[in-house]
Amino acid sequence: MRGLTITEVVIPDSVDAPNAADFIACIDVRSAVWSHDSGTRDEVRPPEEMLPGWRKQEYEPKRMLLARLDGRPVARGIAEHRLGDAADTAWLAVEVVPDARGRGIGRAVAERVEALAREARATKYIVYAPCWRVGGPRLAAPTGFGDVAADSPETRLLQALGYRLEQVERGSRLALPVDEAVLEAMRAEAGAAAGGEYRIHTWVDATPPEWRDDIAFLLTRMSTDAPSAGLEESEDPWTVERLLADEALEEESPTTRLVAAVEHVPSGRLAGFTELVLPEDRGRAVDQEDTIVVREHRGHRLGMLLKLPTSPSCRSCGPGTPASSPTTRKRTGTCSTSTRRSDSRRSCTRGRGGRTCRRRRCELRVVVGSCAA
């Protein structure tokens, strides 16, 4: 295409660095895409909030492309990889601003990010593509849960490139604050199901030293315990060293993390945890990010028990905060919540977050596709 240039973005040390312009342009593209397609600004993030995730290159190598049309930033592409047993897989993404769509830019960027994946010797590509369209012909997920628009641009492009639909994720939007009487009833119900063998611990930001080993274990289990349909993603191991490196970079973010973890009292080990991310701007939505209860402790309402302590914390730490936006994989008998890959604070899990916006009656269903290289 005449006038189209695609270049790789150098990840800066800070948003004030002399070489930060391309990174900021990519985040602007992201903001334009998500705010337009969703009809809400819940997913808009400032560059300084996004940068720490992109600086996590030691354990989570990732590359980003910026496409310009006649000099104007119009699209970006992402290729993310892992090390060790997961090195055969690449997670890819492409975003094109609304007024530049329908010109072949998405395909051009997609071909370039696939080239990056080949450079990394990946043999399987996974894409989490937001699909907002409701109504019309549908493409059903092979899991039996969910479907996406069969004739949407993202579905048609992925299928044309050889991808197949594996799984659909849905998200929810919870208005805050939640009525205290409702919370108390839910707390009583979850507590009765859990019995006396579990105890909740909470903290802000960095993991307390006594729980680092357990959190590293739970983060590793995030890569294997979350529903994945036919994606067959390899284990992504976490160590205390990786956890500390991750948290050191998160200190650069203006956000605040609220964490609740559940201890199995007889063993003294954590059985699960959940994390809320509060933005510096308290007028923005809170993100419900990593959540897991390991398989052997499911069936005790621990997921609900975990999330209840953080709801009052949202109210006290973030006055005026309008909503909490979790993204969950729906499958019977599981309890796991995924973050958004590449742009996430801690991208140890699968998934690009989806949202359901009740106020605007719009729905995101995420096309989870895979393709053998």
Side-chain angles (χ1 to χ4, degrees):
M1 176 185 297
R2 295 187 60 180
L4 181 67
T5 61
I6 303 174
T7 57
E8 184 163 358
V9 175
V10 175
I11 306 304
D13 291 332
S14 75
V15 295
D16 299 319
N19 63 344
D22 283 356
F23 177 81
I24 293 172
C26 280
I27 303 308
D28 289 343
V29 166
R30 177 191 184 279
S31 297
V33 168
W34 282 85
S35 59
H36 174 273
D37 293 354
S38 70
T40 171
R41 293 186 62 82
D42 281 358
E43 282 299 319
V44 172
R45 305 281 184 273
E48 58 271 20
E49 195 172 301
M50 307 296 291
L51 182 57
W54 277 95
R55 284 174 32 79
K56 299 173 184 178
Q57 297 285 345
E58 181 179 0
Y59 299 98
E60 306 162 17
K62 55 186 77 72
R63 299 166 73 176
M64 184 156 57
L65 303 176
L66 175 62
R68 289 184 173 89
L69 184 61
D70 297 327
R72 180 173 73 98
V74 293
R76 69 167 187 159
I78 298 169
E80 184 174 354
H81 313 281
R82 285 293 179 270
L83 307 176
D85 292 340
D88 66 338
T89 303
W91 291 266
L92 312 179
V94 174
E95 293 168 337
V96 182
V97 297
D99 64 352
R101 295 171 182 172
R103 307 184 193 183
I105 295 173
R107 177 182 283 272
V109 177
E111 291 172 349
R112 287 289 301 273
V113 295
E114 286 189 344
L116 295 181
R118 288 193 294 273
E119 284 182 28
R121 299 186 177 181
T123 57
K124 180 172 64 176
Y125 310 153
I126 296 175
V127 173
Y128 290 78
C131 183
W132 297 93
R133 183 181 298 180
V134 296
R138 312 302 293 175
L139 177 64
T143 59
F145 172 83
D147 53 49
V148 296
D151 59 351
S152 67
E154 57 274 7
T155 302
R156 293 199 308 268
L157 176 58
L158 285 167
Q159 290 182 321
L161 291 171
Y163 291 78
R164 66 178 184 270
L165 177 64
E166 289 288 355
Q167 182 171 282
V168 173
E169 293 185 354
R170 293 181 62 183
S172 302
R173 191 177 193 274
L174 174 67
L176 297 176
V178 179
D179 184 85
E180 185 58 38
V182 174
L183 289 176
E184 187 55 40
M186 298 174 73
R187 191 177 294 115
E189 180 184 352
E197 292 195 345
Y198 296 96
R199 178 166 52 209
I200 296 294
H201 303 272
T202 60
W203 61 83
V204 177
D205 290 329
T207 305
E210 63 269 26
W211 297 123
R212 288 171 181 166
D213 283 314
D214 284 6
I215 290 295
F217 169 77
L218 292 173
L219 288 169
T220 300
R221 291 288 293 268
M222 288 285 287
S223 63
T224 58
D225 280 23
S228 60
L231 298 176
E232 299 179 355
E233 298 183 47
S234 301
E235 181 180 87
D236 182 24
W238 279 72
T239 62
V240 170
E241 290 74 22
R242 180 176 176 181
L243 175 65
L244 292 175
D246 184 279
E247 292 182 341
L249 285 169
E250 286 302 333
E251 290 180 3
E252 301 174 3
S253 173
T255 58
T256 300
R257 286 184 297 128
L258 306 178
V259 182
V262 59
E263 177 191 2
H264 180 237
V265 176
S267 66
R269 301 293 304 274
L270 295 184
F273 80 102
T274 190
E275 177 184 74
L276 286 180
V277 179
L278 275 67
E280 187 175 38
D281 176 3
R282 299 309 196 212
R284 284 173 43 203
V286 173
D287 273 334
Q288 175 78 65
E289 295 219 5
D290 295 346
T291 298
I292 186 172
V293 173
V294 293
R295 290 190 183 101
E296 51 268 34
H297 290 283
R298 290 173 183 166
H300 301 285
R301 302 300 305 276
L302 298 183
M304 180 63 68
L305 198 65
L306 277 168
K307 293 184 178 182
L308 286 168
T310 56
S311 184
S313 298
C314 280
R315 187 166 61 248
S316 60
C317 294
T321 301
S324 172
S325 299
T327 304
T328 59
R329 287 190 178 86
K330 300 284 188 176
R331 193 171 77 176
T332 302
T334 66
C335 178
S336 58
T337 300
S338 66
T339 63
R340 296 168 300 281
R341 294 201 70 84
S342 300
D343 281 333
S344 64
R345 292 168 50 87
R346 175 183 289 135
S347 52
C348 63
T349 62
R350 314 176 186 88
R352 177 167 298 276
R355 298 291 178 261
T356 301
C357 175
R358 302 298 183 190
R359 294 180 304 177
R360 298 178 181 265
R361 297 184 182 178
C362 61
E363 181 180 274
L364 164 61
R365 299 188 180 207
V366 181
V367 182
V368 185
S370 66
C371 178

